Amino acid sequence: MSTGRIIKGIGGFYYVLPDCGGPAVECKARGHFRKSGISPVVGDLVVYADQKEGHSVIEDILPRKNLLVRPSVANIDQLLIVISATAPAPDWQLVDKLIIQAVPAGIKPVLILNKSDTGGEDTVREFSRDYVPWFQTAVVSAKTGSGKETLAEILKNRVSCFAGQSAVGKSSLINLLLPELSLETGELARKTDRGRHTTRRAELWPAFGGAVLDTPGFSLYETDLLEQTDLNRCYPEFGDSPEKCRFPSCMHVSEPGCAVKELVAEGKMSKARYERYTVLAKEYEARRKHIYG
Ligand SMILES: Nc1nc2c(ncn2[C@@H]2O[C@H](COP(=O)(O)OP(=O)(O)OP(=O)(O)O)[C@@H](O)[C@H]2O)c(=O)[nH]1
Ligand SMILES: [Mg+2]
Ligand SMILES: [Zn+2]
């Protein structure tokens, strides 16, 4: 038996990088995983049996630290949420949703503003106002290489997964850091024509003492179930204000005596991010009502 980490999965085969070194091993999964509804995913740490002939077999999936879905990736330390300074125009609501996927799962969100060579003053201003004071951030350009060292430092000794809209430059940034990979990148025009991502599946590469995962971004179809206390943790701007609200169950939307709304009124939290928050908070509330009745 050997142990390793899944770096990609294609057509029922999983490619496992052995902990003891050497090239990736082609594996099939044991049938009982499928029966129990658990499938191996990229990032999984697994135990596999080496075969003399044909492929090897994954015997066990070690307990996951966390799991993100669509695409499925496991055991992530940080989510690198990439935003473009110009095209495609930033979808800040998606950025906030990705932060909400990461934080409750124990994944650190890091916000990367790419294409800084293209101007985009409005986006830079919004980024500086809404995220820079509260999250780890970096301003980079995959084209000029600006911010490359900062990015390499962020990736050091961690398992980092890239996320964000199509064409923001996720694969281009990985190419900047690991040129030997020569990942496929694509024009925005081509992507919007065909309505799909150039990167089609999640894949992992060991790098900088950790690992880097490229993805086509994450599709967030519906709001997950999330308690208000977990949602509060996704907004470092709130500080300890939620504890000071008149109602312990305050959603900080329309309740009287809300300390979070006070923060916004005093200009201590960005109005724009707060407004995006209220939309999401209502979605999460509706979801809780739907589940709990
Ligand atoms: N000017 C400029 N263009 C960039 C930069 N980074 C990426 N691009 C271009 O943006 C386009 C999209 O880049 P990709 O790396 O394919 O984007 P992606 O986020 O991986 O997209 P998907 O795989 O579809 O999710 C390509 O044409 C890149 O050349 C940058 O820093 N500056
Ligand atoms: Mg890509
Ligand atoms: Zn409140």
Side-chain angles (χ1 to χ4, degrees):
M1 292 287 185
S2 311
T3 57
R5 190 189 279 272
I6 298 182
I7 59 169
K8 67 178 166 183
I10 303 173
F13 285 99
Y14 299 92
Y15 296 83
V16 178
L17 206 60
D19 287 336
C20 61
V25 176
E26 189 177 75
C27 294
K28 279 259 182 198
R30 272 250 175 272
H32 71 253
F33 291 134
R34 255 158 279 156
K35 269 181 243 149
S36 61
I38 300 170
S39 315
V41 304
V42 172
D44 264 334
L45 300 167
V46 298
V47 179
Y48 64 96
D50 287 298
Q51 297 278 306
K52 294 268 182 310
E53 288 161 38
H55 52 76
S56 301
V57 175
I58 296 176
E59 297 283 350
D60 204 4
I61 302 170
L62 301 181
R64 291 170 179 156
K65 200 153 72 171
N66 48 52
L67 175 72
L68 294 176
V69 294
R70 294 188 296 264
S72 295
V73 294
N75 302 316
I76 304 301
D77 294 324
Q78 52 188 10
L79 194 65
L80 270 53
I81 304 170
V82 183
I83 300 133
S84 166
T86 49
D91 180 347
W92 298 120
Q93 193 71 277
L94 174 71
V95 170
D96 292 351
K97 277 196 165 190
L98 285 168
I99 292 171
I100 293 169
Q101 296 291 304
V103 172
I107 299 169
K108 180 183 175 183
V110 180
L111 287 92
I112 310 288
L113 186 72
N114 187 34
K115 307 201 191 186
S116 62
D117 58 287
T118 61
E121 285 75 16
D122 286 350
T123 303
V124 174
R125 200 175 319 113
E126 289 172 298
F127 184 73
S128 309
R129 180 195 65 200
D130 293 358
Y131 300 99
V132 172
W134 308 106
F135 295 91
Q136 184 171 10
T137 59
V139 177
V140 301
S141 165
K143 188 173 178 186
T144 66
S146 155
K148 185 179 167 184
E149 284 72 30
T150 311
L151 204 51
E153 191 60 37
I154 288 170
L155 297 179
K156 224 167 158 183
N157 302 328
R158 295 201 169 90
V159 178
S160 307
C161 182
F162 280 78
Q165 295 156 266
S166 183
V168 291
K170 299 177 293 294
S171 302
S172 301
L173 286 171
I174 297 175
N175 280 340
L176 172 71
L177 294 161
L178 305 165
E180 65 276 15
L181 296 180
S182 298
L183 299 179
E184 194 193 343
T185 63
E187 294 296 327
L188 177 66
R190 214 193 79 203
K191 290 174 208 275
T192 42
D193 283 351
R194 288 198 281 162
R196 65 181 170 93
H197 291 263
T198 303
T199 304
R200 280 173 214 95
R201 62 174 71 86
E203 192 164 350
L204 176 151
W205 295 273
F208 303 104
V212 174
L213 284 94
D214 194 11
T215 76
F218 291 84
S219 9
L220 307 170
Y221 294 120
E222 62 177 35
T223 306
D224 295 321
L225 185 63
L226 196 69
E227 298 303 332
Q228 181 63 40
T229 46
D230 290 324
L231 192 55
N232 288 343
R233 288 172 47 222
C234 301
Y235 290 82
E237 301 96 313
F238 288 1
D240 59 1
S241 288
E243 294 157 34
K244 297 179 190 151
C245 295
R246 186 178 306 164
F247 300 106
S249 63
C250 189
M251 272 172 54
H252 327 306
V253 175
S254 52
E255 298 88 341
C258 172
V260 168
K261 280 197 289 181
E262 221 164 279
L263 278 184
V264 181
E266 288 167 1
K268 292 178 182 156
M269 175 178 178
S270 148
K271 219 167 169 235
R273 195 156 123 90
Y274 173 72
E275 270 157 22
R276 292 196 294 276
Y277 161 80
T278 61
V279 174
L280 294 178
K282 284 177 200 162
E283 277 182 28
Y284 284 105
E285 167 73 352
R287 185 99 176 108
R288 283 192 292 270
K289 279 196 176 132
H290 179 73
I291 303 261
Y292 297 141

mmCIF file of all heavy atoms in Angstrom, residues 130-147:
data_model
loop_
_atom_site.group_PDB
_atom_site.id
_atom_site.type_symbol
_atom_site.label_atom_id
_atom_site.label_comp_id
_atom_site.label_asym_id
_atom_site.label_seq_id
_atom_site.Cartn_x
_atom_site.Cartn_y
_atom_site.Cartn_z
ATOM 1 N N ASP A 130 -13.265 48.033 -0.637
ATOM 2 C CA ASP A 130 -14.097 46.966 -0.077
ATOM 3 C C ASP A 130 -13.312 45.769 0.462
ATOM 4 O O ASP A 130 -13.824 45.028 1.298
ATOM 5 C CB ASP A 130 -15.078 46.446 -1.143
ATOM 6 C CG ASP A 130 -16.113 47.498 -1.524
ATOM 7 O OD1 ASP A 130 -16.077 48.596 -0.938
ATOM 8 O OD2 ASP A 130 -16.949 47.209 -2.406
ATOM 9 N N TYR A 131 -12.087 45.561 -0.013
ATOM 10 C CA TYR A 131 -11.391 44.320 0.368
ATOM 11 C C TYR A 131 -10.014 44.521 0.993
ATOM 12 O O TYR A 131 -9.671 43.820 1.939
ATOM 13 C CB TYR A 131 -11.288 43.396 -0.860
ATOM 14 C CG TYR A 131 -12.661 43.055 -1.389
ATOM 15 C CD1 TYR A 131 -13.199 43.737 -2.475
ATOM 16 C CD2 TYR A 131 -13.438 42.095 -0.751
ATOM 17 C CE1 TYR A 131 -14.488 43.461 -2.927
ATOM 18 C CE2 TYR A 131 -14.719 41.818 -1.202
ATOM 19 C CZ TYR A 131 -15.242 42.506 -2.279
ATOM 20 O OH TYR A 131 -16.517 42.233 -2.711
ATOM 21 N N VAL A 132 -9.239 45.459 0.452
ATOM 22 C CA VAL A 132 -7.847 45.606 0.907
ATOM 23 C C VAL A 132 -7.721 45.761 2.432
ATOM 24 O O VAL A 132 -6.861 45.130 3.044
ATOM 25 C CB VAL A 132 -7.127 46.742 0.128
ATOM 26 C CG1 VAL A 132 -5.754 47.031 0.726
ATOM 27 C CG2 VAL A 132 -7.005 46.364 -1.345
ATOM 28 N N PRO A 133 -8.588 46.551 3.094
ATOM 29 C CA PRO A 133 -8.408 46.691 4.542
ATOM 30 C C PRO A 133 -8.750 45.435 5.346
ATOM 31 O O PRO A 133 -8.384 45.333 6.508
ATOM 32 C CB PRO A 133 -9.365 47.823 4.926
ATOM 33 C CG PRO A 133 -9.778 48.463 3.642
ATOM 34 C CD PRO A 133 -9.664 47.409 2.595
ATOM 35 N N TRP A 134 -9.450 44.493 4.728
ATOM 36 C CA TRP A 134 -10.021 43.389 5.515
ATOM 37 C C TRP A 134 -9.495 42.008 5.162
ATOM 38 O O TRP A 134 -9.672 41.057 5.920
ATOM 39 C CB TRP A 134 -11.551 43.380 5.331
ATOM 40 C CG TRP A 134 -12.138 44.714 5.595
ATOM 41 C CD1 TRP A 134 -12.629 45.600 4.675
ATOM 42 C CD2 TRP A 134 -12.271 45.358 6.867
ATOM 43 N NE1 TRP A 134 -13.057 46.736 5.292
ATOM 44 C CE2 TRP A 134 -12.854 46.627 6.647
ATOM 45 C CE3 TRP A 134 -11.950 44.992 8.178
ATOM 46 C CZ2 TRP A 134 -13.122 47.516 7.663
ATOM 47 C CZ3 TRP A 134 -12.221 45.873 9.197
ATOM 48 C CH2 TRP A 134 -12.794 47.118 8.940
ATOM 49 N N PHE A 135 -8.895 41.860 3.984
ATOM 50 C CA PHE A 135 -8.452 40.538 3.521
ATOM 51 C C PHE A 135 -7.011 40.616 3.050
ATOM 52 O O PHE A 135 -6.503 41.704 2.771
ATOM 53 C CB PHE A 135 -9.329 40.072 2.345
ATOM 54 C CG PHE A 135 -10.765 39.838 2.719
ATOM 55 C CD1 PHE A 135 -11.705 40.855 2.608
ATOM 56 C CD2 PHE A 135 -11.172 38.608 3.208
ATOM 57 C CE1 PHE A 135 -13.033 40.643 2.979
ATOM 58 C CE2 PHE A 135 -12.487 38.381 3.578
ATOM 59 C CZ PHE A 135 -13.425 39.400 3.464
ATOM 60 N N GLN A 136 -6.374 39.463 2.942
ATOM 61 C CA GLN A 136 -5.081 39.446 2.262
ATOM 62 C C GLN A 136 -5.349 39.659 0.773
ATOM 63 O O GLN A 136 -6.218 39.011 0.189
ATOM 64 C CB GLN A 136 -4.340 38.122 2.479
ATOM 65 C CG GLN A 136 -2.957 38.181 1.833
ATOM 66 C CD GLN A 136 -2.070 37.003 2.190
ATOM 67 O OE1 GLN A 136 -2.523 36.007 2.787
ATOM 68 N NE2 GLN A 136 -0.814 37.115 1.842
ATOM 69 N N THR A 137 -4.627 40.576 0.176
ATOM 70 C CA THR A 137 -4.865 40.925 -1.226
ATOM 71 C C THR A 137 -3.539 41.098 -1.957
ATOM 72 O O THR A 137 -2.499 41.266 -1.325
ATOM 73 C CB THR A 137 -5.649 42.253 -1.342
ATOM 74 O OG1 THR A 137 -4.900 43.284 -0.697
ATOM 75 C CG2 THR A 137 -7.034 42.164 -0.725
ATOM 76 N N ALA A 138 -3.604 41.071 -3.281
ATOM 77 C CA ALA A 138 -2.430 41.384 -4.103
ATOM 78 C C ALA A 138 -2.917 41.968 -5.418
ATOM 79 O O ALA A 138 -3.970 41.579 -5.924
ATOM 80 C CB ALA A 138 -1.599 40.130 -4.347
ATOM 81 N N VAL A 139 -2.158 42.911 -5.945
ATOM 82 C CA VAL A 139 -2.455 43.501 -7.251
ATOM 83 C C VAL A 139 -1.348 43.043 -8.188
ATOM 84 O O VAL A 139 -0.167 43.249 -7.901
ATOM 85 C CB VAL A 139 -2.512 45.039 -7.166
ATOM 86 C CG1 VAL A 139 -2.748 45.655 -8.543
ATOM 87 C CG2 VAL A 139 -3.605 45.474 -6.193
ATOM 88 N N VAL A 140 -1.734 42.358 -9.267
ATOM 89 C CA VAL A 140 -0.744 41.691 -10.120
ATOM 90 C C VAL A 140 -1.062 41.876 -11.605
ATOM 91 O O VAL A 140 -2.133 42.361 -11.974
ATOM 92 C CB VAL A 140 -0.685 40.174 -9.800
ATOM 93 C CG1 VAL A 140 -0.333 39.923 -8.346
ATOM 94 C CG2 VAL A 140 -2.004 39.497 -10.152
ATOM 95 N N SER A 141 -0.120 41.470 -12.440
ATOM 96 C CA SER A 141 -0.371 41.400 -13.878
ATOM 97 C C SER A 141 0.345 40.173 -14.424
ATOM 98 O O SER A 141 1.575 40.074 -14.352
ATOM 99 C CB SER A 141 0.137 42.650 -14.590
ATOM 100 O OG SER A 141 0.190 42.404 -15.986
ATOM 101 N N ALA A 142 -0.434 39.258 -14.959
ATOM 102 C CA ALA A 142 0.168 38.062 -15.555
ATOM 103 C C ALA A 142 0.935 38.451 -16.814
ATOM 104 O O ALA A 142 1.865 37.761 -17.217
ATOM 105 C CB ALA A 142 -0.918 37.042 -15.892
ATOM 106 N N LYS A 143 0.547 39.579 -17.420
ATOM 107 C CA LYS A 143 1.162 39.997 -18.671
ATOM 108 C C LYS A 143 2.548 40.608 -18.433
ATOM 109 O O LYS A 143 3.516 40.231 -19.091
ATOM 110 C CB LYS A 143 0.253 41.004 -19.383
ATOM 111 C CG LYS A 143 0.722 41.339 -20.777
ATOM 112 C CD LYS A 143 -0.290 42.206 -21.493
ATOM 113 C CE LYS A 143 0.219 42.588 -22.873
ATOM 114 N NZ LYS A 143 -0.703 43.537 -23.514
ATOM 115 N N THR A 144 2.653 41.543 -17.475
ATOM 116 C CA THR A 144 3.937 42.217 -17.248
ATOM 117 C C THR A 144 4.778 41.516 -16.181
ATOM 118 O O THR A 144 5.960 41.796 -16.043
ATOM 119 C CB THR A 144 3.719 43.672 -16.799
ATOM 120 O OG1 THR A 144 3.097 43.649 -15.504
ATOM 121 C CG2 THR A 144 2.840 44.431 -17.775
ATOM 122 N N GLY A 145 4.151 40.652 -15.393
ATOM 123 C CA GLY A 145 4.863 39.972 -14.317
ATOM 124 C C GLY A 145 4.891 40.778 -13.023
ATOM 125 O O GLY A 145 5.478 40.351 -12.028
ATOM 126 N N SER A 146 4.222 41.907 -13.026
ATOM 127 C CA SER A 146 4.159 42.739 -11.821
ATOM 128 C C SER A 146 3.448 41.972 -10.693
ATOM 129 O O SER A 146 2.383 41.396 -10.915
ATOM 130 C CB SER A 146 3.439 44.046 -12.176
ATOM 131 O OG SER A 146 2.855 44.602 -11.043
ATOM 132 N N GLY A 147 4.037 41.950 -9.500
ATOM 133 C CA GLY A 147 3.441 41.263 -8.355
ATOM 134 C C GLY A 147 3.769 39.780 -8.291
ATOM 135 O O GLY A 147 3.270 39.059 -7.414
#
